[in-house]
Amino acid sequence: MKKYRVPDFESGALDEPRLLFGGGNDHVDPKFGLSIFGPFSSTPTSIIVGIIGIPSMIADTEQWLERCTREVTNDKAKPREFPPFTGISSDSSFNCELKYGDLWCESLNESEIEKILRINNFNQKVSRIVELYEKKLETLAGREPQPDVIICCIPQNVIDYAVVEIKKWGELKRRRISKTERMAIKLAEFGQQFFFKEDDPRLGIEGEQYGHHNLRRGLKARAMQYGIPTQLIWPRTIKLGGTQKRGFRERVLQDDATRAWNFVVALYHKAKGIPWRLANIKPGVCFVGISFFKERAAEYPRMCTSMAQTFSFAGEGYVLRGKSFEWTKDVSPHLRYQPAKELMNEVIELYKTQNKGLPRRVVVHKSSRFWEDEINGFHVACKDISEKDFVTIGKRGIQFYRPGIYPPLRGTYVKFSDKNFLLYTDGYVPFLRTYPGPRVPQPLEILEHHGDSPWNTVLEEILALTKINWNTADFSCSKPITLAFAQRVGDILAELPPGMKERNEYRFYM
């Protein structure tokens, strides 16, 4: 019988990070902080909202925007986890007015959409839909005054046939659409597979063989050139109350108040507002998430591109695209010395430009272990930075439990060694008086730490960075923002057409 030694460990719990709101007041919860104190920034005081969609969805969206200007209530069953939405207006805690109307609306032709959806090739179909929205984006970008944010309304038929490519019969069944619709999709794929040759011009768009692979990514990528952030909404996002019919089954929606919170917080940030910021992070810290993505149109299948997501101590986010390289080894991609040095140099230069000086400290997060080449390249680029920390964050399925019906407290850590820890970024939250997750929480594991800071500082920062995702008003997220959306951001960069320059601001990728 094989015996296993249980490793020695220490454990404890970190304090819940606090957030700063209007007037420098602090609170642990985003929704309560915004309700009581308002956003951290005093601007914008108005947001011009552009809308693109079919006429019926434009009307529904305007109704939803009007609803968000007033208090939105729910059943009050869980008042801490799901509080009522305070409303966004000049009279609410947001002190911000929404402006919308015919001047900033552009309608899509429903018959034209139906015609595009009958195209057999999925990538061409997505590309044609993206083209429709792009033309309207260009029109709205030329309006005076220009919208601060443009809402792109995605109708249900586009969601069913042009959002996610369906390749397997089992996936069709899981979509809960009718048998007739499933058969139509299968026949379309059959025709595409057997009647189109690989070099058939119908497979591409304007000489581009594959077009866009994903509607959201393609639309976000194309919209960058107009300098206006976009927000994509589905019919269920703006449906007031109850359930949504989907095929033969109804699905329960989030309550109206929760959807209003998430919608408005994202809208406010995309309009250059700062909903909240971290209270206890020292000024001068630059947080960097390093990741990689595959170039969709690369000549070689193993071509990768490096990417850096950078966040200042105040929470402002930026995205930097590094150089491409061919990765031939059967392991996760890593940077060589020179690319690592160049990418970090770009990060520091961008920070210097935005903050009028060098960072005091640089913290790098990765989901794969550091190689010696990477560490050396980063160190050389950071030679003028007084403090540096390089941290690998992953998940290996290790679990701990505590007595009772609830999982470990959020902020619980387990220390195996000075460089190896578990950290529960999900768990029981005393302020909410519950665990807000759907299943047993999985802790993050800090696999490596090379640097100057004590381990408790590294853990406290990771926990704090789970609270600055301005795409939602939830209490927190599972991963720090440096790594939370790395794949989604990389997917958008991969959809950028050749020659189109990416935007640095993180709000264009939300």
Side-chain angles (χ1 to χ4, degrees):
M1 181 177 177
K2 193 171 183 178
K3 294 184 179 180
Y4 295 92
R5 178 182 175 275
V6 177
D8 297 328
F9 61 85
E10 302 173 20
S11 64
L14 304 174
D15 292 335
E16 183 61 48
R18 301 189 73 82
L19 305 172
L20 289 179
F21 298 91
N25 295 288
D26 68 325
H27 202 284
V28 295
D29 185 86
K31 294 171 187 170
F32 278 81
L34 288 171
S35 295
I36 300 168
F37 306 117
F40 178 81
S41 63
S42 57
T43 57
T45 54
S46 66
I47 300 173
I48 299 175
V49 183
I51 307 174
I52 299 171
I54 60 176
S56 60
M57 277 200 77
I58 289 177
D60 290 343
T61 301
E62 290 185 329
Q63 182 186 38
W64 172 249
L65 288 170
E66 194 278 329
R67 184 73 186 88
C68 289
T69 62
R70 297 175 280 113
E71 184 183 45
V72 182
T73 58
N74 52 28
D75 61 9
K76 301 181 181 179
K78 298 179 179 179
R80 288 199 171 217
E81 191 176 354
F82 304 112
F85 175 61
T86 188
I88 179 169
S89 68
S90 55
D91 298 322
S92 74
S93 59
F94 275 90
N95 190 30
C96 182
E97 181 184 5
L98 297 182
K99 295 182 179 180
Y100 52 93
D102 293 343
L103 176 61
W104 301 293
C105 289
E106 282 293 315
S107 296
L108 297 174
N109 188 302
E110 292 186 65
S111 61
E112 190 173 0
I113 290 175
E114 289 288 350
K115 182 179 178 182
I116 292 172
L117 293 179
R118 288 194 291 270
I119 295 173
N120 289 330
N121 181 266
F122 179 81
N123 296 335
Q124 186 186 24
K125 180 163 45 184
V126 171
S127 296
R128 295 297 184 195
I129 293 291
V130 169
E131 271 194 343
L132 284 184
Y133 282 92
E134 184 182 359
K135 289 175 183 176
K136 302 301 183 181
L137 282 164
E138 185 178 14
T139 300
L140 287 178
R143 294 277 165 82
E144 287 294 339
Q146 192 181 72
D148 298 301
V149 183
I150 295 177
I151 294 175
C152 295
C153 307
I154 313 298
Q156 192 61 51
N157 59 346
V158 173
I159 294 169
D160 288 336
Y161 293 102
V163 168
V164 178
E165 186 172 12
I166 303 172
K167 296 180 179 179
K168 297 179 182 177
W169 183 253
E171 292 177 16
L172 291 174
K173 289 182 178 179
R174 287 195 294 273
R175 286 283 294 277
R176 309 293 182 188
I177 60 179
S178 71
K179 186 176 180 180
T180 304
E181 290 175 310
R182 294 201 298 266
M183 187 58 68
I185 294 174
K186 292 302 291 181
L187 287 172
E189 291 184 348
F190 180 87
Q192 173 185 318
Q193 181 177 355
F194 290 99
F195 299 113
F196 288 165
K197 294 181 179 179
E198 196 170 319
D199 59 350
D200 194 300
R202 286 171 289 182
L203 291 179
I205 176 170
E206 297 177 0
E208 189 179 336
Q209 186 178 356
Y210 295 106
H212 289 294
H213 285 54
N214 179 283
L215 182 65
R216 179 187 178 275
R217 301 169 196 166
L219 193 47
K220 291 280 184 183
R222 291 274 181 176
M224 286 186 197
Q225 62 187 307
Y226 303 107
I228 304 175
T230 56
Q231 187 149 340
L232 277 62
I233 60 172
W234 292 14
R236 68 170 183 258
T237 308
I238 53 178
K239 182 179 176 64
L240 295 172
T243 59
Q244 179 197 32
K245 187 75 175 176
R246 186 71 184 275
F248 301 108
R249 187 176 181 179
E250 289 189 340
R251 59 178 293 171
V252 178
L253 301 176
Q254 280 184 322
D255 63 89
D256 291 351
T258 299
R259 281 184 287 121
W261 274 116
N262 295 337
F263 174 81
V264 169
V265 166
L267 199 71
Y268 187 83
H269 178 54
K270 288 176 183 180
K272 300 183 180 181
I274 302 176
W276 60 83
R277 64 186 286 183
L278 298 173
N280 298 317
I281 299 295
K282 294 179 181 179
V285 182
C286 176
F287 297 100
V288 186
I290 302 292
S291 55
F292 304 89
F293 63 93
K294 276 190 177 182
E295 290 192 28
R296 188 172 54 79
E299 184 178 354
Y300 304 103
R302 303 289 295 187
M303 187 65 75
C304 289
T305 302
S306 59
M307 179 184 74
Q309 296 182 99
T310 303
F311 296 87
S312 69
F313 72 97
E316 294 96 346
Y318 303 96
V319 173
L320 282 169
R321 180 177 184 161
K323 290 186 176 179
S324 301
F325 58 95
E326 186 179 358
W327 189 252
T328 56
K329 298 186 179 180
D330 295 326
V331 292
S332 57
H334 292 74
L335 289 172
R336 300 298 184 191
Y337 170 81
Q338 193 61 29
K341 175 184 170 184
E342 290 174 0
L343 183 61
M344 189 56 64
N345 276 332
E346 289 184 44
V347 166
I348 293 170
E349 282 301 314
L350 180 61
Y351 183 96
K352 208 160 76 172
T353 300
Q354 299 295 333
N355 296 277
K356 313 302 180 188
L358 285 172
R360 176 185 59 81
R361 178 166 162 257
V362 169
V363 181
V364 178
H365 291 162
K366 274 179 89 248
S367 57
S368 58
R369 292 183 181 273
F370 290 89
W371 283 15
E372 188 176 353
D373 272 358
E374 284 179 313
I375 290 283
N376 290 340
F378 293 151
H379 269 296
V380 171
C382 297
K383 62 182 184 300
D384 297 325
I385 311 300
S386 56
E387 296 178 47
K388 300 166 280 290
D389 290 285
F390 306 109
V391 185
T392 297
I393 302 171
K395 280 188 177 182
R396 293 201 294 185
I398 303 173
Q399 283 281 67
F400 280 78
Y401 299 90
R402 68 169 181 147
I405 62 173
Y406 288 111
L409 290 170
R410 172 176 145 84
T412 297
Y413 66 86
V414 178
K415 181 182 179 185
F416 298 122
S417 70
D418 288 340
K419 296 181 182 294
N420 186 205
F421 302 83
L422 289 184
L423 176 63
Y424 276 87
T425 54
D426 290 326
Y428 182 85
V429 179
F431 177 79
L432 300 180
R433 299 173 184 171
T434 188
Y435 163 55
R439 56 185 64 87
V440 176
Q442 297 285 324
L444 299 180
E445 184 170 3
I446 288 72
L447 299 166
E448 284 183 313
H449 171 216
H450 310 272
D452 306 308
S453 301
W455 61 264
N456 61 318
T457 298
V458 172
L459 298 187
E460 287 166 359
E461 289 173 343
I462 292 171
L463 191 67
L465 290 170
T466 64
K467 301 190 75 161
I468 57 167
N469 171 18
W470 291 323
N471 219 18
T472 176
D474 287 348
F475 188 86
S476 61
C477 297
S478 299
K479 292 182 179 180
I481 192 65
T482 45
L483 298 177
F485 297 105
Q487 182 176 350
R488 294 178 70 179
V489 173
D491 288 339
I492 292 172
L493 289 175
E495 293 278 337
L496 278 175
M500 185 180 291
K501 177 66 176 172
E502 71 274 6
R503 300 282 304 208
N504 289 131
E505 301 96 316
Y506 197 76
R507 58 199 179 95
F508 285 92
Y509 299 83
M510 291 172 55

